[in-house]
Amino acid sequence: MEIVKAKDVVFEYIRRDDEGEVVGITTAVDHVNLGIEKGDFIAILGHNGSGKSTLAKHFNAILVPEEGSVIVDGIDTAESERIWDIRQNAGMVFQNPDNQIIGQVVEEDVGFGPENIGVPTEEIWERVEKSLKAVGMYEFRKNSPNRLSGGQKQRISIAGVLAMKPKCIILDEPTAMLDPKGRKEVLEAVHELNKKEGVTVILITHYMEEVIDADKVFVMDAGKVVMQGTPRQIFSLVDDLKSLRLDVPQVTLLAYELKKRGVNLPDGILTTDELVENLLSLKRN
Ligand code: ADP
Ligand code: MG
């Protein structure tokens, strides 16, 4: 079953000068069609300005399409009276963890969402506990968020979304401001949610390494979805990705270069282990 469906979605920004005069129009999302299956881990790739954030904001009704429609768990996001149902079903995590944390104490911060929608106190605490445990931050529940690392703060933001019991979580470059350790922590937490809790994950990223474990990848360029497929299918198309100003994982690139020079390797190698296995089996033959 599709939890998110975009049908021919168009969204434009009107550009104005300092006097407020219209100077042009940017078509940020240009006739996008896509379907996301419930329980999947989806990645959306694309260079800066390709429309990823604008599209993502349609998935929890921060934006509503000018043309076409977005259906989230069976609800059309244009139905403004259902906006809170949609936002509860599809939670969003943004790039900068500092802008998302409002509580003075971790557990309080995570409880804000459910409190706002009137969840009974006892259940709020249950949800806070479970959400913090799910992202590996339970032991920090009494801490001040200010003292945490970027990766820890981002996991608190994710716990805050989880406490709303969403079916789907959308993360817009959640690791862009983190160091490698923080990136790894956040990625692991998100994969756990997907596997153990069955939460549908939509991850927007420009780190290729974060994409290789996704079930499906969508690549955007100039507001359009220009490629979609499994990570292996997508990363087999090294030249296409390069022309979209995107990289491939380093191992994939190495395998691609070796293959171009005559080494007999399959397309779309994603991990070091895979490359090593393939090279060793060549040697044995
Ligand atoms: P991405 O997330 O892939 O970097 P965005 O969705 O942020 O892309 O932007 C898509 C296009 O829309 C870009 O050309 C960007 O400059 C433009 N854009 C984004 N937000 C606004 C805005 N608030 N007002 C005007 N133009 C915008
Ligand atoms: Mg963006």
Side-chain angles (χ1 to χ4, degrees):
M1 192 204 127
E2 280 173 345
I3 184 142
V4 175
K5 191 163 180 57
K7 280 191 273 191
D8 238 2
V9 174
V10 176
F11 188 88
E12 292 171 337
Y13 292 108
I14 294 169
R15 293 196 309 275
R16 293 173 191 276
D17 63 13
D18 295 340
E19 274 79 55
E21 292 294 315
V22 175
V23 291
I25 288 175
T26 304
T27 306
V29 175
D30 192 359
H31 295 93
V32 164
N33 286 288
L34 58 79
I36 292 172
E37 290 292 323
K38 202 167 178 191
D40 266 3
F41 191 114
I42 295 300
I44 301 180
L45 280 178
H47 69 81
N48 263 346
S50 58
K52 305 179 299 295
S53 294
T54 306
L55 181 64
K57 286 176 186 156
H58 282 80
F59 297 158
N60 76 341
I62 295 175
L63 297 177
V64 176
E66 277 149 11
E67 276 177 44
S69 60
V70 175
I71 313 288
V72 177
D73 200 32
I75 308 172
D76 190 323
T77 60
E79 286 183 49
S80 52
E81 67 282 7
R82 311 260 339 243
I83 196 161
W84 294 109
D85 293 330
I86 294 165
R87 296 224 175 128
Q88 194 182 326
N89 274 334
M92 189 117 172
V93 175
F94 298 95
Q95 198 175 86
N96 188 343
D98 289 322
N99 299 344
Q100 299 174 75
I101 293 175
I102 37 178
Q104 300 298 314
V105 180
V106 164
E107 60 184 359
E108 198 179 279
D109 185 82
V110 175
F112 270 136
E115 196 180 346
N116 270 334
I117 57 167
V119 173
T121 310
E122 204 168 308
E123 194 190 330
I124 294 177
W125 290 117
E126 279 167 27
R127 289 192 189 192
V128 168
E129 182 179 332
K130 189 162 180 266
S131 305
L132 281 172
K133 283 181 176 163
V135 298
M137 287 298 290
Y138 185 64
E139 61 187 290
F140 295 93
R141 64 192 178 282
K142 303 284 184 199
N143 286 41
S144 158
N146 299 327
R147 313 277 290 271
L148 302 175
S149 72
Q152 290 172 327
K153 283 184 192 166
Q154 206 52 311
R155 285 188 284 152
I156 299 298
S157 306
I158 295 169
V161 169
L162 267 188
M164 300 295 281
K165 294 201 175 170
K167 292 179 183 159
C168 175
I169 169 166
I170 303 139
L171 304 106
D172 191 356
E173 306 207 27
T175 62
M177 304 183 80
L178 307 182
D179 59 14
K181 181 168 173 282
R183 294 215 303 260
K184 190 160 174 272
E185 288 170 10
V186 167
L187 250 279
E188 279 173 6
V190 177
H191 273 289
E192 285 272 308
L193 299 184
N194 176 249
K195 280 197 206 96
K196 293 206 177 132
E197 316 285 331
V199 180
T200 309
V201 172
I202 303 173
L203 174 71
I204 296 170
T205 182
H206 59 257
Y207 292 109
M208 300 301 139
E209 277 73 14
E210 296 185 350
V211 169
I212 59 178
D213 295 318
D215 294 305
K216 191 167 182 187
V217 183
F218 295 95
V219 182
M220 289 191 74
D221 185 52
K224 293 187 163 68
V225 171
V226 290
M227 293 164 84
Q228 52 180 294
T230 62
R232 199 179 298 285
Q233 286 165 343
I234 296 291
F235 290 132
S236 296
L237 305 168
V238 176
D239 292 327
D240 293 357
L241 289 168
K242 277 189 188 161
S243 71
L244 296 170
R245 288 177 279 162
L246 291 172
D247 293 325
V248 295
Q250 281 184 349
V251 188
T252 310
L253 191 60
L254 177 58
Y256 171 81
E257 292 296 338
L258 287 168
K259 186 175 172 170
K260 262 202 334 205
R261 284 165 177 71
V263 181
N264 184 13
L265 290 169
D267 285 327
I269 283 185
L270 298 175
T271 65
T272 310
D273 279 351
E274 255 183 282
L275 178 59
V276 169
E277 278 310 311
N278 274 286
L279 288 172
L280 286 175
S281 76
L282 287 177
K283 211 175 141 212
R284 279 186 219 113
N285 291 338

